[in-house]
Structures are given as C-alpha cells and as structure tokens.
Amino acid sequence: MAVANAAVKIPLEIPVVEKRVRNRAATEQAILDAAKRLLAEEGFQNFGINAVARGAGCDKQLIYRYYGGLNGLVEAIGTDLGSWVTDRIPDDTGGMFLLTYGDLMERLSMLFLDALRADPLMRRIVAWEVSESSEQVRRLSEARSKALAGWIERMRGSLVPPKGVDAQAVNAMIFAAIQHIVLASAVSDQCAGLALKNGKDWEKAATALKRLVRGVYG
Amino acid sequence: MAVANAAVKIPLEIPVVEKRVRNRAATEQAILDAAKRLLAEEGFQNFGINAVARGAGCDKQLIYRYYGGLNGLVEAIGTDLGSWVTDRIPDDTGGMFLLTYGDLMERLSMLFLDALRADPLMRRIVAWEVSESSEQVRRLSEARSKALAGWIERMRGSLVPPKGVDAQAVNAMIFAAIQHIVLASAVSDQCAGLALKNGKDWEKAATALKRLVRGVYG
DNA sequence: CCAATCTGTCACCGAGTGGTGATTAGCAAG
DNA sequence: CTTGCTAATCACCACTCGGTGACAGATTGG
C-alpha cells in the first residue's frame, strides 16, 4: 500500500461553480428550501441528510450544525407549514354568501381540494402521514392539522351544523376522501376505477363530492 | 493471495439450527410468506431483498433464483392477492335483502371498512399505492383493484344506481374516504381531528359513512 | 460409480447511508 | 501582522443496500 505514483492529486477542479459566500443566514435558507423542494419533488423515500445537502449545494455537516440534524430540519419545515397553509388556501368566501352549514362545507371542500391538488409538498406530507409513524412525521402532521383546523374555524363563523348530524365525523370522512383521491391521482391518475387526469375528470369528482356534502347537510 | 495459513477452516458450527432441508417448494413458500409478513408488519419502507431473505431465513440468492428478484416476488404477491381479497371479504349479503342501490352501497361500505381494518397487508399496499409510483406497486395496485372491482360487480347483482347520480364517482369518493381513515387510524389513531381508537370511535365513523351513503342514494 | 444437476451458502463488489472529528478559508478586531 | 472567531469543507467511520460469481453438499440419472 501507499506505494509509488503518489504524485497524483490532480486538482483539475474547475471553479466554475460560483464561490460559495460566507453567509450563514443564506445557507440556512438554502438548506430549508432544498429540503422542502426535495420533499415535494422526490417524496419522503429518498429524503435524507445527504440528499438535502446535495440539493442545497453544501456540506451535510452544516445541516447538523444549523438544524441539529434531519429532525430539527423537519421541525423547521413544520414551523413554516402554518403560514404555508394560510398562504395557499384563500381565507375569504370568494364573494359568496354562505347562508347554511351546507354552503360552508361545500365551499371548504372545493377550496381544500384545489389547494391540495396545487401543492406538491402538502401532498407528500399527507402521503407520509399515512405511510410512516415516526417522530418526524408526527410533528409535521401536527403542524398541518393545526393550521387546517384553525382555517376551518375561521371560515365557520357562526354557522352551526344541522342537528342530528355528527359533523365532526362526517367532515373527517369528506376530508379523508379529498386527501385520498388527490394522493391517488398524483400517483396513478385514477382512484377506485375513477379516472383523474384532465379537468373534465376532476369536475366529475368535484360534482360527486358536492353531492355527498349536500346529501348530508342539505 | 491464497497464501499460507490456509489450515484454518474451523468448523465449530454447532448444528443446533435444524438442518435446512433441501426443498425448493417449501423454500419458495417460506420466501413468499416472509415477504407478505414483512410487508404487512414493517411496511414498504424497509422492504428489500436483504430483509426478505433475513425473514425467510435463507440466502437472498434464492430469491433471485426462484423469483427473479424483488420485482418477481412482488408480482407473486400480487397473484396471491386475488384469492386474498375474496377470502377476506364476505361474498354474501349477510342474510339481508338488498332492495335498493343504497342498501347495497351501505353494506359494501361496511364490509370494505371492516375488511381493510382487519388486514394489515392490504393496508400497507394501499399506503404504498398513494406514496410511490413504481412498477412494483403498479402491479400490486392493479391486482388489488381488479379483485375489488370483481367483488363489487358480483355483489351488485341487478341493482342499479338512481338516475342523475354519477355512481362511479360517488363510490370512488366513498371508498377513498374509507381507505384514508383506515390508513390514518393505523398510523396515528385519528384522522382530521376525529379520534379512531376504540370501538365507539369506529361506530361514529361508520355512522357518518352510512349517513353519507344514504344522503346520496336515499 | 461417476457425472450432471439442483439446493443452499458464502464472500465479495460498488455505491450509498447517517454521523463525527479535524481542518481549511475568510473576515474583523486588536 | 497577529489573533480569534466562525462558516464551510474534507476525510473518514461503520453500516446497509442490491447484486453477482464461485463453491459445497445433496440428489438423481446413466
């Protein structure tokens, strides 16, 4: 070992990559952005220290230093998630007057459906939630559901569900259905035999959803 | 290489472990069983050649030989899945007379809900379906949905959905909701704020589900 | 009895993982 | 210029992964 030909060390590194500046705040942000982007685009399968470091274009050591590892990084994502939700989902009624609880839930369903369809990161997190039971995903899930519950509460106003209907359970079903078909569509363009490719397919789905809501809430 | 000190070869192997019999069929079955068990218990995260080989107590080389690798093994699982579905879900009406399409869908919902709750393997596969888009999971998904569609068709008999309702889309929503709450419950004991721990919780969920079904189909 | 075949085992490969300690590079104050 | 701080990198660790080629022992057919 350690034999001859030790005069290698070819430093052919072409420093085309712009010199990494010495800026902690910017690096932290780059790491966070890379993590979110990676999670949204690749999913939680290949989500790891090395992948994030590669995506951020920095050494993984910095992730340990600045976030205390992957867990801390995920936690930081979760913290962002609150504002994330309220950014993506409109907080007004869209100019409609919501007279009944049924009106409200129909509108909320549509908003949530569209928001989830348009948000890859959120989709990945939901998929993660139903696939793995770890501390990481627990925190993410908590942040997400908290933000969502707050949003619903704000939208609800003074409307109350009809008597004799377990609104909490029914709403859970509706939101579960929305989450599942959006997840399924993102993977296989269909769900339980229902195609979910083009806008026409989604209109059918939305109509069915509204019909379900109207069926229970009138 | 291949130098001196070749007289080692200490055969201190204590053959306590029962001699592995030379039986291809049994080994194949052991591998298949281990794969299904592993998938059901650990999920698709740590599902790999090495893990299956460990679980089956044999060398991974045999998995390559007998199944042509993980893909072939998954395919074999998928083949099993057909009978699997029809084994776990009752094929009769449970002594009820299903007079209307609403009766039918209510009953199917409950059967599917219970079957999914009782079947860890199926749950993992569903979770896999909404999390990853690979050839492996595509085959599994196909086998599952085919078996499911066949079951529904058999149960349907001559009943037809009410006019003016897109039964396919509505049913997709209902089944999506079921799948999602069962997945969520298996991971976090709740879904969208609705607790899903004890039998009482599940009764509430079932009631809400039935209410949704009855709302659209009367 | 020998040779071919089949079952099962072992050792190894390259690549990638999470994680840690030591080191270098840039900047500012003294 | 020297000193000290810190952002950033490098080198390495032990481990796991999927995958392959070679080999040993049993079984079977000629």
Side-chain angles (χ1 to χ4, degrees):
Chain A
M1 289 80 181
V3 280
N5 125 321
V8 224
K9 209 64 170 301
I10 318 170
L12 272 187
E13 299 298 325
I14 312 164
V16 169
V17 283
E18 65 268 20
K19 199 81 176 83
R20 172 154 287 282
V21 290
R22 247 173 101 83
N23 183 341
R24 170 161 181 167
T27 302
E28 281 184 359
Q29 193 57 48
I31 292 173
L32 193 63
D33 289 346
K36 292 201 288 190
R37 207 195 62 235
L38 222 138
L39 194 51
E41 292 176 1
E42 309 285 334
F44 56 94
Q45 304 283 0
N46 304 34
F47 186 74
I49 284 281
N50 295 298
V52 173
R54 262 196 307 274
C58 72
D59 197 276
K60 58 180 169 181
Q61 174 70 16
L62 300 183
I63 302 177
Y64 286 106
R65 261 213 267 288
Y66 297 155
Y67 291 95
L70 248 198
N71 287 348
L73 185 53
V74 168
E75 204 152 342
I77 296 180
T79 306
D80 264 22
L81 224 54
S83 51
W84 189 270
V85 169
T86 52
D87 280 359
R88 309 286 278 218
I89 306 185
D91 217 351
D92 57 42
T93 60
M96 299 169 54
F97 284 108
L98 304 179
L99 296 177
T100 69
Y101 194 82
D103 293 340
L104 171 71
M105 282 311 300
E106 179 178 317
R107 171 115 184 104
L108 290 194
S109 305
M110 293 301 108
L111 284 177
F112 185 62
L113 176 66
D114 291 338
L116 200 58
R117 279 188 61 199
D119 192 336
L121 177 58
M122 207 54 99
R123 280 202 311 263
R124 296 296 191 169
I125 291 178
V126 175
W128 205 357
E129 283 178 18
V130 296
S131 302
E132 202 181 70
S133 177
S134 69
E135 195 57 23
Q136 290 180 1
V137 68
R138 224 204 79 247
R139 292 184 194 277
L140 273 188
S141 171
E142 204 161 301
R144 190 182 75 89
S145 76
K146 190 167 293 181
L148 199 61
W151 171 67
I152 293 180
E153 192 56 31
R154 276 197 310 280
M155 296 285 285
R156 193 175 66 83
S158 58
L159 292 177
V160 290
K163 278 231 148 74
V165 178
D166 184 351
Q168 191 194 23
V170 168
N171 292 345
M173 293 293 155
I174 293 169
F175 276 71
I178 295 174
Q179 294 188 94
H180 196 84
I181 63 161
V182 172
L183 291 199
S185 80
V187 167
S188 68
D189 280 331
Q190 58 113 20
C191 174
L194 179 69
L196 292 168
K197 296 176 93 116
N198 50 46
K200 214 167 156 61
D201 297 334
W202 281 104
E203 265 185 48
K204 281 169 67 174
T207 303
L209 202 53
K210 285 190 267 194
R211 201 177 289 272
L212 276 169
V213 172
R214 289 305 184 179
V216 273
Y217 292 130
Chain B
M1 293 76 184
V3 279
N5 129 315
V8 225
K9 212 62 172 303
I10 318 170
L12 272 186
E13 299 297 325
I14 313 165
V16 169
V17 284
E18 63 267 22
K19 199 79 173 78
R20 171 153 286 283
V21 288
R22 254 174 94 85
N23 182 342
R24 169 159 183 169
T27 303
E28 282 184 358
Q29 192 59 47
I31 292 173
L32 193 63
D33 288 347
K36 292 201 288 189
R37 208 195 61 234
L38 224 141
L39 193 52
E41 292 175 2
E42 309 284 334
F44 57 94
Q45 304 281 2
N46 303 47
F47 186 73
I49 284 280
N50 295 297
V52 173
R54 263 196 306 274
C58 72
D59 198 276
K60 57 181 169 182
Q61 174 71 19
L62 300 183
I63 302 177
Y64 286 106
R65 264 216 269 282
Y66 297 155
Y67 291 96
L70 248 198
N71 287 349
L73 184 52
V74 169
E75 203 151 343
I77 296 180
T79 305
D80 264 22
L81 225 54
S83 50
W84 190 269
V85 169
T86 51
D87 279 359
R88 311 285 279 217
I89 307 185
D91 216 350
D92 56 44
T93 60
M96 299 168 56
F97 284 109
L98 304 179
L99 296 177
T100 71
Y101 194 81
D103 293 340
L104 171 71
M105 281 312 298
E106 180 178 318
R107 172 116 184 103
L108 289 194
S109 305
M110 294 300 108
L111 284 178
F112 185 61
L113 176 66
D114 291 339
L116 200 58
R117 279 187 61 198
D119 192 335
L121 177 59
M122 207 54 100
R123 281 202 311 261
R124 297 294 192 171
I125 291 178
V126 175
W128 204 359
E129 283 177 19
V130 296
S131 302
E132 202 182 70
S133 178
S134 68
E135 196 56 25
Q136 292 180 0
V137 68
R138 225 205 78 249
R139 293 184 194 276
L140 273 188
S141 171
E142 204 160 301
R144 190 182 76 89
S145 77
K146 190 167 295 180
L148 199 62
W151 170 68
I152 294 180
E153 192 55 33
R154 274 197 311 280
M155 296 286 284
R156 192 174 66 84
S158 57
L159 292 176
V160 291
K163 276 232 147 74
V165 178
D166 185 350
Q168 191 195 23
V170 168
N171 293 344
M173 293 294 155
I174 293 169
F175 277 71
I178 295 173
Q179 294 188 100
H180 196 84
I181 63 161
V182 173
L183 291 198
S185 79
V187 167
S188 67
D189 281 330
Q190 58 113 20
C191 174
L194 178 69
L196 292 168
K197 297 176 93 115
N198 50 46
K200 216 167 153 63
D201 297 333
W202 280 105
E203 265 185 47
K204 282 167 68 174
T207 303
L209 202 53
K210 284 190 268 194
R211 201 178 290 272
L212 277 168
V213 172
R214 288 305 183 179
V216 274
Y217 292 130

